Each structure stands twice: as C-alpha cells, then as structure tokens.
Amino acid sequence: MRGRHLAAVVALAVSATLALAGCSSEPLADQYKAGSGKNYVAGDGTVTEIAQKDRAAAVEFSGTTESGDPFSSADQAGQVMVVNFWYAACAPCRAEAGDLEKINKEFGGKGATFVGVNVRDQAATAASFEQTYSVGYPSIIDAQTGSVQLAFAGTVPPNAVPTTLVLDAKHRVAARILGQLQSPDILETLVRDTIAETD
C-alpha cells in the first residue's frame, strides 16, 4: 500500500509540474500558436551582445542576390558585417528599412558592409521592395535553399523576422537584435563599437 501511495504522490507532483510549465509564457511560441494571420513571428527588439572572448567560430555564407550577383562573406574579409533577415510582407521589416539604409550609408565603405537575407520572396519581389524603400545594399535570396539561415543556426539563430546580426571583422556574431530595430542609435552604436574593437 505504501508503495502505491508513494507512486500516486509522485504522479501528482509530476502532473502539477507539467501544468505549471504549461502556464509559463514563451513569446515566440505564443505568437506562432496564436494563428493571428500576420504570417511572421516578431521579436520584441531584444538586443544580445556577445563579448569577444565568448564569440563562437566565424560564420561563412554565400548566395545569389536579388540582382543575380553572387555574394560571399569571404569577399568581405576584415569588414564588420550587418546581416538583416527580412521579407517584403513583414510589416516590421518595412518599418525598419529606412533606419537600416541610414546606417548603411553612414558606415558603408568605412569598416562595415550591409547585406540582407530575404527568407521568403523571389528576386523580383525583393528588388521591388528595395526600390520602394530606397535600400542601397544587396539581399541574398534564401527562400529556396535556406542555406544562409542554416549557416547561423549553430551560433545565434535568427528566431524571428526581422532579425539583425552584427558580425565582427572575423565574422563571428557580436550582437543580435531580435525583431524590429527600435531605434537606429542602437544599431549605430553596435556597429561603431564592433568596428572599434581590437584583439
């Protein structure tokens, strides 16, 4: 009898623990389950910075841009890279496009390179978006292969759209903005600080 009573108590405790776990909130999972029809999972703008000593190995990636040109991270050796994951129907992507281009103009050719990674569209749609929002940097069309997204999966994965990553001069992930850029000053500071780093 004592054994059965103990088993029942343990089972009750496990059930209670699972019930409590089910009550905890994970914003990205909640958005996915909500089925709101907005067709993207938005981050909350959280900024994650990674100290130089804690950064994972360099990330290498390549692909074809919306204009049909090849793009390879290897060709940007020694440059800080800003990598923005986006697609045209994503409202936060549209909202932050102007800020990203402003920072691209500020740092382009001055130690940093910008590249977009379009995760859903065909080249023509991406090109139309870039023309509409005056985006001056290229975007890799990653919808078919997912190879660029996969390249980052083992380090700091882009779990929401948009996501912006700052890679240091060795192309290690130095920072991630999960969701829409809340202020251009945030990314501007991240890029400037990463350019200024010395090992």
Side-chain angles (χ1 to χ4, degrees), residues 127-149:
S128 177
F129 177 99
E130 290 171 1
Q131 183 174 7
T132 299
Y133 292 94
S134 302
V135 176
Y137 54 87
S139 282
I140 295 171
I141 304 303
D142 202 44
Q144 297 300 318
T145 66
S147 63
V148 179
Q149 297 165 79

Side-chain angles (χ1 to χ4, degrees), residues 11-174:
L12 185 59
V14 169
S15 296
T17 301
L18 291 174
L20 287 173
C23 293
S24 65
S25 178
E26 167 43 60
L28 296 180
D30 290 346
Q31 286 184 58
Y32 179 78
K33 287 186 273 187
S36 62
K38 64 185 180 183
N39 293 322
Y40 63 89
V41 176
D44 58 4
T46 301
V47 178
T48 303
E49 294 183 71
I50 304 169
Q52 292 187 62
K53 64 182 179 61
D54 297 326
R55 291 174 192 165
V59 180
E60 295 182 5
F61 61 94
S62 61
T64 303
T65 70
E66 77 291 345
S67 59
D69 297 324
F71 184 97
S72 173
S73 60
D75 294 336
Q76 315 303 319
Q79 291 278 305
V80 167
M81 293 186 67
V82 178
V83 184
N84 176 254
F85 293 82
W86 70 281
Y87 65 95
C90 157
C93 302
R94 297 193 295 270
E96 71 177 11
D99 289 336
L100 290 169
E101 177 56 20
K102 173 180 175 286
I103 301 168
N104 173 50
K105 285 180 177 175
E106 181 178 353
F107 292 104
K110 300 174 185 173
T113 298
F114 275 61
V115 64
V117 178
N118 188 295
V119 300
R120 197 173 285 191
D121 301 320
Q122 298 301 313
T125 302
S128 177
F129 177 99
E130 290 171 1
Q131 183 174 7
T132 299
Y133 292 94
S134 302
V135 176
Y137 54 87
S139 282
I140 295 171
I141 304 303
D142 202 44
Q144 297 300 318
T145 66
S147 63
V148 179
Q149 297 165 79
L150 186 60
F152 287 96
T155 52
V156 183
N159 290 333
V161 179
T163 288
T164 303
L165 303 177
V166 179
L167 311 186
D168 65 19
K170 295 181 178 179
H171 296 171
R172 302 172 300 177
V173 177

